Amino acid sequence: MWVNPEEVLLANALWITERANPYFILQRRKGHGTRGGGGLAGLLVGTLDVVLDSSARVAPYRILYQTQDTLTYWTIACGGSRREVTEHWEWLEVNLLQTLSIFENENDITTFVKGKVQGIIAEYNKINGIKEDDDTDKFKEAIVKFHKLFCMPEEEKLVNYYSCSYWKGRVPRQGWMYLSINHLCFYSFLLGKEAKLVIRWVDITQLEKTATLLLPDMIKVSTRSNEYYFSVFLNISETFKLMEQLANIAMRQLLDNEGFEQDRSLPKLKKKSPQKVSALKRDLDARAKSERYRALFRLPKDEKLDGHTDCTLWTPFSKRHIVGQMFVSTNYICFTSKEENLCSLIIPLREVTIVEKADSSSVLPSPLSISTKNRMTFLFANLKDRDFLVQRISDFLQQTTLKMYFDKDISGSNSSIEEEADSRASGFVSCSHHQRLRVEADGDQYVNFNGNGAPTATQTLMTMYRRRSPEEFNPKLAKEFLKEQAWKMHFSEYGQGICMYRTQKTRDLVLKGIPESMRGELWLLFSGAINEMATHPGYYEELVEKSMGQYNLATEEIERDLHRSLPEHPAFQNEIGISALRRVLTAYAFRNPNIGYCQAMNIVTSVLLLYAKEEEAFWLLVALCERMLPDYYNTRVVGALVDQGVFEELAHDYVPQLYDCMQDLGVISTISLSWFLTLFLSVMPFESAVVVVDCFFYEGIKVIFQLALAVLEANVDKLLNCKDDGEAMTVLGKYLDSVSNKDSTLPPIPHLHSLLTDDVDPYPEVDIFALIASSYQKFGSIRSDLIEQMRFKQRLKVIQTLEDTTKRNVVRTIVTDTAFTVDELEELYALFKAEHLTSCYWGGTSSPIERHDPSLPYLEQYRIDFQQFKNMFVLLFPWACGAHTDIMAFRIFRLLDENGDALINFREFVSGLSAACHGDLTEKLKLLYRIHLLPDLSPDQDEPDSAFEATQYFFEDIAPECSHVAAYELRSKKRTEEGFVAVSLKTAKVKKTSQDNRNYLRLWAQQNRSKQKEAKELLKLNQGQFIELCKTMYNMFSEDTNEQELYHATAAVTSLLLEIGEVGKLFPMQPLEDTPIHSSKEIPSTVHEKKTIQTYPYVQPGTFSHKPVPSDSTEEIHSDQMEEVKLEDSSPRDNGACSSMLISDDETKDDSSMSSYSVLSSGSHEDDKLQCEDIGDDTILVRSHHQALPVTTSLDQDWAVTFEQFLASLLTEPALVRYFEKPVSMMARITNAKNVSMVMKAFPSTSDYDIATISG
């Protein structure tokens, strides 16, 4: 291919010149294209190319442009093959040589050549629709290498590549690690020895940095079957961080089927960027930074960080400049100090009114002033690029303003004149919004009926059920009043609302307990839910309206748990509280169907409703489920299981003396789920647990870990003396029941657990504030970033464990229904899931969400479409070979697709494979029979128009046993051109003797009466379906060693069945209700309609046509040398074209080959040939050498054969019996399937090629 001209310093180093002229040189890399690799020099060159990341490994040919005077060289083209580079060379000789001779100046020649090559590249990109991207030329070379070395399709995107060593045994292989979206790959070439490794991210169970005495920095990659070690990284931190990201993406795909989509909105790459930075790498880096940014400031999930810069912030409360970093994103400006917990700030752009540059001075260089609607001004200084920053903020402000007015028009909100005048560059909900809501809450209206008729509570439930009399006053209320005053003083000094300064003093106030009157407001503020509520006005009411009256599995579970939510609290002992809880939970289930509803959500939501209004409680629940406790409340509570693993690790580090004992008792896994899922609300007295919730909304999950460790540490001695898990649980339960809140002004609410326990010796009371202070003192060193690192490690383990559990459950469910062993089923499940995942990231004919639904039962979670089934059919089924494979696969797929949704689950897949591989003779033949009972594949398919043409196809290629191989190959070629290619069939698990076949039916009837009854229920084959069955059988033997014998046996069976069908017409027809074969006139129109709807004919591999199949059509063929009898399919399930049998007289005179009737009459009926005779009004033609063929034009609607007749006929031929009873080695097929790459190409056996074992 043509490349952008690049100067070459040493033209002849490691290259051999093959062609040359005054302007251009064609060169070949040393060692390439020569037998034996070019000796030692060639091997050394190849090794250097890999180690030094030279493009010559992929493109060993190149064309250089040379200047005659200065002897400088420019690369203008390269190629992977001699043919490719020769085409470029010839083009240069024809089109450029004469033109270049005209120029007199060497610089003009160089400019012309470079411009010409660049023009060719630009034209090629334009013609082929190749858009310019941000990837550097060096990285594009790496992409070409990656796809070529590992046979990856273009859809597989390379993210980055790193130089490292892979330890294969005790020998390090220096090479390159390639990290793509779905695979970790490694390639090394050392003195002629290749080493390749391909591991899918979804198969990785552990990823960690390790260290040894000799190699301090190593990365260990573990799968279910192997461990891989990589070392000698130039930048191991960057490499490991990227590997973590990619593994996380893969786990997300396993968890909820979220694929990876590249962000196309990234800014363009700068000219001076590093050489090996890809657009995907920049995308992933930006995602990681945005994720940390959102977690740090509790921002909405779709917020993207635009950039950050060092600066100082003037803090009026301390009268000094604090050093820190400013973060700017689409909708927010945030600040955090360098010193942890010193100061942080969140300024939503919807609150900003003025952004201006202040005058610089030596004391305050490059200051920037930002004013908000609540009259707060923030002064930043020491900004490096203030002008650019102001421009970016102005752009984002303009976008926010436009969006604000657009949302206003949509929602139709009634803002006051003052609010409109004050909202020039801001949103509608100001920082004082919650004060306004509190004023409204003092009214008497409990429920608001909006215009849409969806009632929502306008007060907190605690306000409605907590009416104090004026004379009520006691020391607890006095303490509560002092807390409120402390918070009001804090607001006056540090600001109130979303834009307040958050300092160490703020945290101290939270740890002392939030006043009840302010709890809802501050929960909204600290959780970040206030931002989502402000930017989605009217959203909750719309959800409530849409979800009213809707019923599904989630709503049923919600109704069941409504009265179990804080039943001891008076707010949930009447319909007002229950209705509010129902609306919030149902609205969230409709917002996020992936979660829907999970137990424990009702307990948390009921507490939120006590202190927050209904809409506020909804947005708090959104923040909880989607940001603060990610994946906690999905169908498999993955997030809680992940944090359970993190808690075990922390317990091992912080309470080692207790860890082994707790592991032996199995208590940690039991306690952590209930503690974490409900934030201690279900295990502590209510008034104490809400203090834990206060701290959680401010500090996040680290508070829960700290508190859990403090509880364990406080009970070390008692737990060490426990004999079993029940005793340990009792100890912890009593301790948590004794945790009290002496400052609470609430009336005592009996805790459910304490009501159920009968304590003779009550546990000493434990103050909740003392417990929290102790947890910070002893375990406050636990950092949020450390928790995230531990979460990643545990997430790999948890999700892979869940996948293994799913696999075991699936295997346990179906192992008794199939002939496969447990090991075979586990391997098949792994392949089945791998096929599904492969199509997820390389494309498929149906969406991944349709094929994977974690909420379904285990057996139906993964489903595959026809294209995926065909890939597995080729690898595993014994009846797959050649072009006929597509038709056979499609027939079996239609049979297995019981519900007609064009998808099959694992049970359906295994049932078909089991019958084809491990079934007995009857089961295999029944499968073969049933796949031909379905309607014809397509009216457009090249089907035989007559029984004669089909018979010709079946028999014309069967030569006498003395025929030559060349003649057979010619006929095989002819069949291939007609679209029919033979298929090899390998069969059965149980081998039976072919002797005593006459007694087989009787034995079968005695031992398998249920199967016999099922067989009797099978419909009869009409003539068109019988022709397809015969065609299939003839295509099954092309690769068998007994091919000719099987052909003759099939011919004999076909002849016998034709005769049986004719004889069957002599017997009177059965009554309508007992006969599966009827005249088309007798079938009600409703039957036709039903069959038309359920039919999806075969159009091309991987697709289905949902057009109704046209009714039967009859084609008349007239010929002087041919005579015709029409045979019509009379089955209501056959929608294909009618067939006509045409037999030529000339063929019977051909002595060199057997006539159609000779074949039909051969075999076991040699002496008893059926002559042509009239049977009723319809006739079938059977050729005899001594009798002419009569002519009839009547339609044969009654010809049919049954499964019993098909089985009995086949049993007369020992060759066919042996063939179908031949055992199939399933594990060998599975091993072969695992060793085939996902692009259906076998990896080269000459290479030292490792493929990570596909695991379930």
Side-chain angles (χ1 to χ4, degrees):
M1 61 179 179
W2 300 104
V3 296
N4 282 314
E6 186 176 347
E7 190 171 355
V8 177
L9 298 177
L10 298 173
N12 296 315
L14 308 179
W15 292 86
I16 299 172
T17 301
E18 293 198 338
R19 295 190 188 183
N21 59 42
Y23 299 101
F24 302 104
I25 302 173
L26 189 154
Q27 294 184 326
R28 171 177 56 82
R29 191 69 165 175
K30 283 186 179 179
H32 182 82
T34 58
R35 186 173 298 177
L40 181 60
L43 294 178
L44 289 173
V45 171
T47 303
L48 283 174
D49 288 340
V50 171
V51 173
L52 300 178
D53 190 29
S54 170
S55 60
R57 186 72 187 164
V58 176
Y61 296 93
R62 69 179 183 181
I63 298 176
L64 303 178
Y65 160 70
Q66 62 175 349
T67 56
Q68 295 180 349
D69 297 335
T70 58
L71 293 179
T72 19
Y73 299 89
W74 300 80
T75 306
I76 59 172
C78 63
S81 66
R82 189 186 300 273
R83 178 181 176 183
E84 180 185 1
V85 80
T86 301
E87 290 177 358
H88 288 40
W89 178 264
E90 292 174 351
W91 187 91
L92 290 171
E93 287 185 328
V94 171
N95 296 281
L96 284 191
L97 280 184
Q98 283 189 331
T99 308
L100 296 181
S101 62
I102 299 173
F103 289 95
E104 296 181 357
N105 190 338
E106 186 178 280
N107 292 332
D108 293 342
I109 298 176
T110 303
T111 304
F112 177 78
V113 170
K114 291 169 68 175
K116 189 69 175 177
V117 172
Q118 291 169 348
I120 293 172
I121 295 172
E123 185 66 22
Y124 175 82
N125 292 343
K126 182 179 179 182
I127 293 174
N128 292 276
I130 300 175
K131 296 181 181 179
E132 183 180 355
D133 53 31
D134 288 340
D135 290 341
T136 61
D137 292 338
K138 185 69 175 173
F139 193 80
K140 288 177 182 177
E141 290 178 7
I143 292 174
V144 173
K145 288 184 202 172
F146 170 70
H147 288 141
K148 184 174 180 180
L149 289 172
F150 304 103
C151 303
M152 294 288 178
E154 292 297 322
E155 292 83 2
E156 184 66 7
K157 303 298 184 184
L158 179 65
V159 180
N160 212 352
Y161 63 109
Y162 300 94
S163 173
C164 69
S165 289
Y166 162 51
W167 288 80
K168 188 171 177 62
R170 296 184 178 181
V171 181
R173 300 288 182 87
Q174 184 65 30
W176 291 86
M177 176 189 286
Y178 294 84
L179 304 180
S180 68
I181 290 297
N182 303 294
H183 296 89
L184 183 158
C185 304
F186 177 84
Y187 178 78
S188 172
F189 181 87
L190 187 62
L191 298 177
K193 186 70 172 177
E194 274 188 332
K196 292 184 184 180
L197 178 68
V198 178
I199 308 172
R200 298 187 316 165
W201 291 115
V202 291
D203 291 330
I204 291 177
T205 57
Q206 191 175 11
L207 190 66
E208 59 180 342
K209 283 196 283 189
T210 61
T212 62
L213 187 61
L214 294 176
L215 296 165
D217 289 324
M218 292 183 71
I219 294 179
K220 176 185 173 184
V221 179
S222 303
T223 63
R224 289 179 176 84
S225 55
N226 289 302
E227 293 180 348
Y228 306 92
Y229 293 89
F230 302 91
S231 62
V232 197
F233 289 92
L234 295 177
N235 190 340
I236 190 170
S237 297
E238 178 189 332
T239 308
F240 187 73
K241 196 174 293 183
L242 179 57
M243 292 170 76
E244 280 187 327
Q245 273 188 283
L246 294 170
N248 254 329
I249 292 172
M251 293 305 106
R252 179 60 56 186
Q253 188 181 53
L254 283 177
L255 183 60
D256 53 19
N257 228 56
E258 281 187 10
F260 176 82
E261 292 185 8
Q262 185 176 355
D263 185 2
R264 303 290 181 182
S265 62
L266 290 174
K268 291 292 183 183
L269 191 67
K270 296 179 181 179
K271 295 293 184 183
K272 296 182 180 180
S273 295
Q275 276 196 321
K276 285 199 323 179
V277 176
S278 69
L280 271 177
K281 176 68 168 59
R282 292 172 56 233
D283 181 5
L284 288 172
D285 289 344
R287 288 178 189 228
K289 290 178 182 177
S290 294
E291 195 171 333
R292 288 194 295 270
Y293 167 64
R294 291 192 298 265
L296 182 61
F297 298 105
R298 306 277 171 77
L299 300 179
K301 289 181 70 175
D302 56 352
E303 193 66 19
K304 293 181 181 179
L305 177 64
D306 187 70
H308 59 89
T309 182
D310 292 335
C311 67
T312 59
L313 171 67
W314 170 255
T315 52
F317 53 87
S318 63
K319 302 293 188 293
R320 66 191 180 103
H321 293 279
I322 295 179
V323 179
Q325 281 191 321
M326 175 194 283
F327 299 83
V328 179
S329 61
T330 315
N331 300 293
Y332 299 88
I333 300 171
C334 302
F335 173 87
T336 185
S337 58
K338 293 281 188 182
E339 184 181 341
E340 192 176 8
N341 296 325
L342 184 60
C343 180
S344 66
L345 182 66
I346 301 172
I347 309 173
L349 293 183
R350 65 178 183 272
E351 298 290 330
V352 173
T353 55
I354 300 173
V355 177
E356 58 182 350
K357 294 182 283 188
D359 295 332
S360 294
S361 66
S362 58
V363 179
L364 202 64
S366 303
L368 178 67
S369 172
I370 299 177
S371 302
T372 62
K373 291 196 303 180
N374 60 347
R375 297 178 176 84
M376 292 183 71
T377 300
F378 303 95
L379 186 63
F380 298 92
N382 292 284
L383 295 164
K384 291 182 180 178
D385 197 346
R386 185 178 62 168
D387 293 340
F388 176 76
L389 179 64
V390 170
Q391 183 61 47
R392 291 299 291 169
I393 295 175
S394 300
D395 293 342
F396 291 142
L397 267 175
Q398 187 176 10
Q399 295 173 17
T400 304
T401 306
L402 292 173
K403 184 176 184 301
M404 174 193 71
Y405 282 108
F406 178 75
D407 290 343
K408 178 183 176 182
D409 293 338
I410 295 295
S411 62
S413 60
N414 297 319
S415 301
S416 65
I417 298 174
E418 290 79 14
E419 287 174 331
E420 287 189 6
D422 218 17
S423 62
R424 287 169 294 172
S426 63
F428 294 108
V429 182
S430 69
C431 292
S432 60
H433 174 66
H434 298 284
Q435 287 181 312
R436 187 174 68 251
L437 293 178
R438 298 247 159 234
V439 174
E440 294 172 0
D442 293 333
D444 295 329
Q445 186 178 0
Y446 293 163
V447 179
N448 169 46
F449 292 90
N450 58 38
N452 296 326
T456 56
T458 57
Q459 290 193 22
T460 67
L461 295 180
M462 188 65 77
T463 306
M464 296 164 64
Y465 290 95
R466 183 88 171 105
R467 298 286 181 179
R468 295 196 188 99
S469 59
E471 64 275 4
E472 181 185 354
F473 194 81
N474 55 44
K476 288 186 177 180
L477 285 176
K479 201 165 186 178
E480 183 78 2
F481 177 76
L482 290 177
K483 281 186 181 180
E484 291 179 1
Q485 293 303 311
W487 274 99
K488 288 178 181 178
M489 291 175 59
H490 183 80
F491 291 151
S492 63
E493 186 176 359
Y494 295 89
Q496 185 173 6
I498 187 68
C499 299
M500 69 181 287
Y501 293 96
R502 306 177 194 210
T503 65
Q504 181 66 42
K505 188 176 180 181
T506 311
R507 189 177 83 165
D508 293 340
L509 284 174
V510 171
L511 297 185
K512 292 176 183 177
I514 297 176
E516 286 183 22
S517 60
M518 298 180 176
R519 189 160 268 148
E521 176 185 352
L522 292 176
W523 282 0
L524 276 173
L525 183 66
F526 296 143
S527 67
I530 187 174
N531 294 314
E532 288 159 308
M533 189 172 79
T535 53
H536 294 82
Y539 176 80
Y540 174 67
E541 284 79 5
E542 290 178 11
L543 272 182
V544 171
E545 182 188 2
K546 289 178 182 177
S547 61
M548 286 178 66
Q550 302 291 326
Y551 296 97
N552 53 29
L553 181 61
T555 57
E556 290 178 10
E557 293 177 346
I558 289 169
E559 289 296 328
R560 187 174 63 245
D561 288 347
L562 283 177
H563 295 278
R564 304 176 188 172
S565 310
L566 292 186
E568 63 274 14
H569 198 285
F572 298 99
Q573 294 171 359
N574 62 78
E575 190 55 34
I576 294 179
I578 294 295
S579 297
L581 181 60
R582 178 188 292 113
R583 286 191 295 270
V584 173
L585 291 174
T586 306
Y588 186 77
F590 274 78
R591 166 189 166 85
N592 191 344
N594 289 333
I595 291 178
Y597 171 75
C598 174
Q599 283 187 339
M601 285 174 67
N602 59 323
I603 297 174
V604 175
T605 307
S606 59
V607 175
L608 299 179
L609 280 168
L610 289 175
Y611 294 102
K613 298 179 184 179
E614 193 172 312
E615 183 180 6
E616 295 172 346
F618 170 79
W619 287 112
L620 281 169
L621 183 63
V622 169
L624 204 69
C625 295
E626 298 177 10
R627 290 190 286 106
M628 302 190 72
L629 296 175
D631 302 322
Y632 258 60
Y633 300 106
N634 58 23
T635 52
R636 299 190 281 183
V637 292
V638 171
L641 293 173
V642 168
D643 281 351
Q644 173 185 306
V646 173
F647 180 53
E648 289 185 10
E649 276 196 73
L650 292 173
H652 180 269
D653 294 338
Y654 287 92
V655 282
Q657 71 275 23
L658 189 60
Y659 176 77
D660 292 335
C661 171
M662 297 292 282
Q663 284 294 95
D664 294 338
L665 295 176
V667 174
I668 291 182
S669 59
T670 307
I671 61 175
S672 55
L673 273 181
S674 59
W675 293 1
F676 294 164
L677 275 171
T678 63
L679 304 176
F680 285 92
L681 287 167
S682 64
V683 293
M684 268 188 193
F686 173 78
E687 63 274 9
S688 302
V690 290
V691 179
V692 178
V693 178
D694 293 342
C695 300
F696 168 76
F697 277 124
Y698 187 81
E699 290 273 43
I701 193 64
K702 65 169 285 187
V703 172
I704 307 299
F705 286 120
Q706 289 175 186
L707 196 61
L709 289 171
V711 171
L712 291 184
E713 197 265 344
N715 293 275
V716 168
D717 296 334
K718 292 184 178 180
L719 289 172
L720 289 174
N721 295 324
C722 290
K723 302 291 190 305
D724 54 38
D725 58 341
E727 188 178 352
M729 291 298 296
T730 303
V731 168
L732 293 171
K734 287 181 179 181
Y735 180 84
L736 290 170
D737 283 338
S738 68
V739 177
S740 63
N741 180 1
K742 296 179 181 179
D743 296 345
S744 175
T745 60
L746 297 174
I749 301 173
H751 188 240
L752 188 60
H753 186 270
S754 62
L755 291 174
L756 297 176
T757 55
D758 187 15
D759 286 343
V760 179
D761 300 322
Y763 205 95
E765 281 194 0
V766 179
D767 183 60
I768 181 63
F769 299 107
L771 181 61
I772 290 175
S774 173
S775 73
Y776 270 89
Q777 182 181 357
K778 295 177 180 179
F779 309 108
S781 59
I782 300 173
R783 296 170 54 88
S784 298
D785 54 353
L786 173 66
I787 292 174
E788 285 305 316
Q789 290 177 10
M790 298 170 76
R791 275 179 167 177
F792 164 74
K793 179 180 176 182
Q794 293 298 328
R795 191 177 294 116
L796 287 179
K797 186 186 299 183
V798 166
I799 293 180
Q800 296 293 14
T801 302
L802 288 173
E803 291 294 311
D804 290 342
T805 303
T806 301
K807 178 174 68 176
R808 285 194 298 272
N809 289 334
V810 169
V811 170
R812 191 186 309 119
T813 304
I814 64 177
V815 67
T816 56
D817 299 334
T818 69
F820 291 116
T821 65
V822 172
D823 291 340
E824 288 174 339
L825 283 174
E826 288 185 349
E827 296 290 352
L828 287 172
Y829 181 82
L831 287 171
F832 189 88
K833 189 178 79 173
E835 185 61 42
H836 162 81
L837 293 172
T838 301
S839 65
C840 284
Y841 46 74
W842 286 349
T845 56
S846 57
S847 70
I849 296 176
E850 291 176 0
R851 290 181 271 109
H852 180 216
D853 185 355
S855 64
L856 290 174
Y858 291 122
L859 287 170
E860 301 176 18
Q861 283 187 8
Y862 290 106
R863 292 172 291 177
I864 59 175
D865 57 25
F866 171 65
Q867 191 62 41
Q868 298 165 303
F869 173 78
K870 189 176 71 174
N871 295 338
M872 299 197 68
F873 180 84
V874 171
L875 295 171
L876 298 173
F877 276 74
W879 297 346
C881 178
H884 187 70
T885 299
D886 287 0
I887 298 175
M888 173 69 82
F890 180 73
R891 288 186 183 278
I892 294 180
F893 182 84
R894 284 199 308 171
L895 179 68
L896 299 178
D897 182 17
E898 296 176 358
N899 59 358
D901 63 351
L903 296 169
I904 62 172
N905 59 39
F906 184 64
R907 182 199 288 275
E908 294 167 337
F909 173 77
V910 167
S911 66
L913 184 61
S914 178
C917 295
H918 288 342
D920 57 23
L921 177 65
T922 307
E923 290 177 20
K924 291 180 180 178
L925 293 178
K926 190 182 296 182
L927 176 64
L928 196 61
Y929 183 91
R930 288 176 64 198
I931 65 175
H932 293 87
L933 282 174
L934 299 175
D936 287 346
L937 302 181
S938 170
D940 302 327
Q941 193 175 332
D942 190 12
E943 300 280 347
D945 291 327
S946 66
F948 167 74
E949 292 177 20
T951 307
Q952 268 195 323
Y953 167 73
F954 297 148
F955 304 135
E956 69 182 353
D957 294 334
I958 303 178
E961 294 181 1
C962 60
S963 61
H964 300 290
V965 177
Y968 171 72
E969 290 176 351
L970 180 63
R971 285 189 294 272
S972 297
K973 182 179 179 182
K974 179 180 179 182
R975 289 207 308 274
T976 303
E977 291 170 354
E978 292 173 355
F980 304 109
V981 178
V983 179
S984 171
L985 177 65
K986 298 178 182 177
T987 47
K989 177 181 178 182
V990 183
K991 183 174 181 180
K992 301 180 184 295
T993 60
S994 58
Q995 302 172 1
D996 199 22
N997 286 328
R998 295 179 182 178
N999 296 325
Y1000 189 92
L1001 274 178
R1002 185 174 62 220
L1003 183 64
W1004 170 70
Q1006 292 172 352
Q1007 296 179 352
N1008 302 280
R1009 292 189 181 278
S1010 61
K1011 293 182 180 180
Q1012 185 183 31
K1013 181 179 179 180
E1014 183 184 344
K1016 286 184 177 180
E1017 294 173 356
L1018 291 174
L1019 297 173
K1020 293 182 181 180
L1021 276 182
N1022 62 44
Q1023 202 163 54
Q1025 294 164 342
F1026 171 70
I1027 290 170
E1028 289 301 314
L1029 174 60
C1030 295
K1031 187 191 302 180
T1032 298
M1033 290 182 65
Y1034 273 92
N1035 277 283
M1036 293 167 74
F1037 310 133
S1038 63
E1039 295 183 359
D1040 196 273
T1041 53
N1042 301 319
E1043 181 181 349
Q1044 287 299 320
E1045 184 182 3
L1046 289 168
Y1047 274 165
H1048 285 290
T1050 305
V1053 171
T1054 304
S1055 172
L1056 180 57
L1057 286 171
L1058 285 171
E1059 296 169 11
I1060 290 173
E1062 285 303 309
V1063 173
K1065 296 196 299 181
L1066 291 171
F1067 297 96
M1069 295 293 291
Q1070 296 178 0
L1072 179 65
E1073 60 273 10
D1074 296 331
T1075 308
I1077 307 296
H1078 306 295
S1079 171
S1080 58
K1081 295 180 181 179
E1082 300 175 26
I1083 299 172
S1085 60
T1086 56
V1087 177
H1088 283 294
E1089 291 172 6
K1090 183 178 180 183
K1091 295 301 176 183
T1092 301
I1093 292 171
Q1094 291 179 344
T1095 300
Y1096 46 96
Y1098 175 83
V1099 179
Q1100 62 182 9
T1103 62
F1104 293 104
S1105 170
H1106 293 276
K1107 299 178 181 177
V1109 179
S1111 58
D1112 298 343
S1113 59
T1114 305
E1115 180 179 345
E1116 296 184 4
I1117 302 177
H1118 302 282
S1119 174
D1120 295 337
Q1121 297 179 350
M1122 307 185 75
E1123 297 162 347
E1124 172 188 87
V1125 172
K1126 296 187 177 179
L1127 301 171
E1128 182 183 83
D1129 172 21
S1130 56
S1131 169
R1133 297 187 64 175
D1134 179 27
N1135 298 320
C1138 294
S1139 301
S1140 299
M1141 179 177 284
L1142 302 175
I1143 301 181
S1144 170
D1145 289 328
D1146 295 336
E1147 289 198 11
T1148 64
K1149 302 174 183 178
D1150 187 0
D1151 296 330
S1152 63
S1153 63
M1154 304 175 69
S1155 69
S1156 301
Y1157 179 66
S1158 299
V1159 176
L1160 288 172
S1161 304
S1162 63
S1164 60
H1165 297 274
E1166 191 68 39
D1167 300 327
D1168 186 20
K1169 297 179 182 178
L1170 180 67
Q1171 306 299 317
C1172 180
E1173 54 186 333
D1174 290 331
I1175 302 175
D1177 294 329
D1178 302 325
T1179 62
I1180 184 164
L1181 303 184
V1182 183
R1183 173 62 56 88
S1184 169
H1185 290 290
H1186 310 294
Q1187 184 173 348
L1189 199 63
V1191 179
T1192 178
T1193 57
S1194 60
L1195 299 178
D1196 188 351
Q1197 299 176 355
D1198 302 320
W1199 192 100
V1201 292
T1202 65
F1203 173 70
E1204 291 87 345
Q1205 292 167 342
F1206 170 64
L1207 175 63
S1209 302
L1210 191 136
L1211 289 174
T1212 62
E1213 292 297 329
L1216 290 174
V1217 173
R1218 287 194 301 269
Y1219 179 84
F1220 281 102
E1221 290 184 337
K1222 196 187 311 177
V1224 176
S1225 175
M1226 198 64 233
M1227 285 306 295
R1229 289 180 172 273
I1230 291 172
T1231 303
N1232 177 63
K1234 289 164 63 175
N1235 289 335
V1236 173
S1237 71
M1238 289 175 229
V1239 289
M1240 294 301 170
K1241 292 181 181 178
F1243 288 130
S1245 58
T1246 55
S1247 301
D1248 185 6
Y1249 213 123
D1250 289 343
I1251 309 167
T1253 304
I1254 294 175
S1255 52

